[in-house]
Amino acid sequence: MRFMIIVKATSESEASLKPDETVPGTPDEQLMADMATFHEEMAQAGVLLDGAGLRPSSQGWRVRHTPGQGSVQIIDGPFAETKELIAGYTLIQVRSREEALQWSRRFPNPVGRGKAAEVEVRQLFELEDFTPGPAVERFKAIDMLGEAK
């Protein structure tokens, strides 16, 4: 079972501020150390698949499909609703929902100790969740996870 731990964006993450882990003794240095320790523990436990911070939405875009028009529109960031944006993620593979819950409880506060923050955890669909058919077989052939067939 794969789960994504989603770090919500803040006004600071959207303002292109990044942690300055080079300044000893700063809250940002402590946050980077806490995140590194936690991700090392997940890697050692064999559950960590991937994780990264995302650049602010001002450096991104959205692709809008409009029904009935058959058109695709590109909308450049930034995007106003910070609470709906993602600042980063960690992807884990575990044996159960309970195991994912245990890992997510230990996830360090992504904005620093003592500050209000929220992370969201969502289970990913697996190909086995879908009714077998030609399209599912095509996805299996892509071998997105690099597994031996």
Side-chain angles (χ1 to χ4, degrees):
M1 304 175 95
R2 293 180 298 160
F3 288 82
M4 181 177 281
I5 301 170
I6 302 165
V7 175
K8 300 291 188 151
T10 64
S11 56
E12 290 82 14
S13 67
E14 278 297 295
S16 298
L17 301 177
K18 67 175 183 160
D20 188 357
E21 69 281 1
T22 62
V23 180
T26 64
D28 290 338
E29 180 192 38
Q30 185 61 53
L31 173 57
M32 291 296 286
D34 291 347
M35 285 291 186
T37 298
F38 183 68
H39 283 74
E40 286 169 346
E41 290 171 5
M42 288 190 298
Q44 290 168 356
V47 301
L48 180 65
L49 295 176
D50 192 18
L54 302 176
R55 292 183 181 259
S57 68
S58 61
Q59 298 178 25
W61 60 90
R62 291 180 176 168
V63 179
R64 178 175 292 156
H65 297 265
T66 306
Q69 295 181 2
S71 66
V72 174
Q73 180 183 12
I74 303 298
I75 304 155
D76 289 323
F79 306 114
E81 290 296 322
T82 303
K83 66 182 179 181
E84 296 177 8
L85 299 176
I86 298 171
Y89 70 93
T90 298
L91 188 61
I92 59 174
Q93 185 164 18
V94 293
R95 291 178 293 280
S96 67
R97 183 181 189 279
E98 181 58 35
E99 186 179 356
L101 185 60
Q102 290 172 5
W103 281 109
S104 65
R105 276 192 183 116
R106 295 181 47 215
F107 197 86
N109 184 329
V111 297
R113 294 179 184 175
K115 296 181 180 178
E118 183 176 300
V119 296
E120 180 178 334
V121 181
R122 304 269 303 271
Q123 185 174 355
L124 278 65
F125 277 110
E126 306 293 345
L127 289 176
E128 293 73 30
D129 295 327
F130 296 97
T131 303
V136 170
E137 292 305 314
R138 289 174 59 196
F139 272 107
K140 287 180 181 179
I142 294 171
D143 191 22
M144 293 185 292
L145 294 178
E147 298 171 347
K149 298 290 179 203

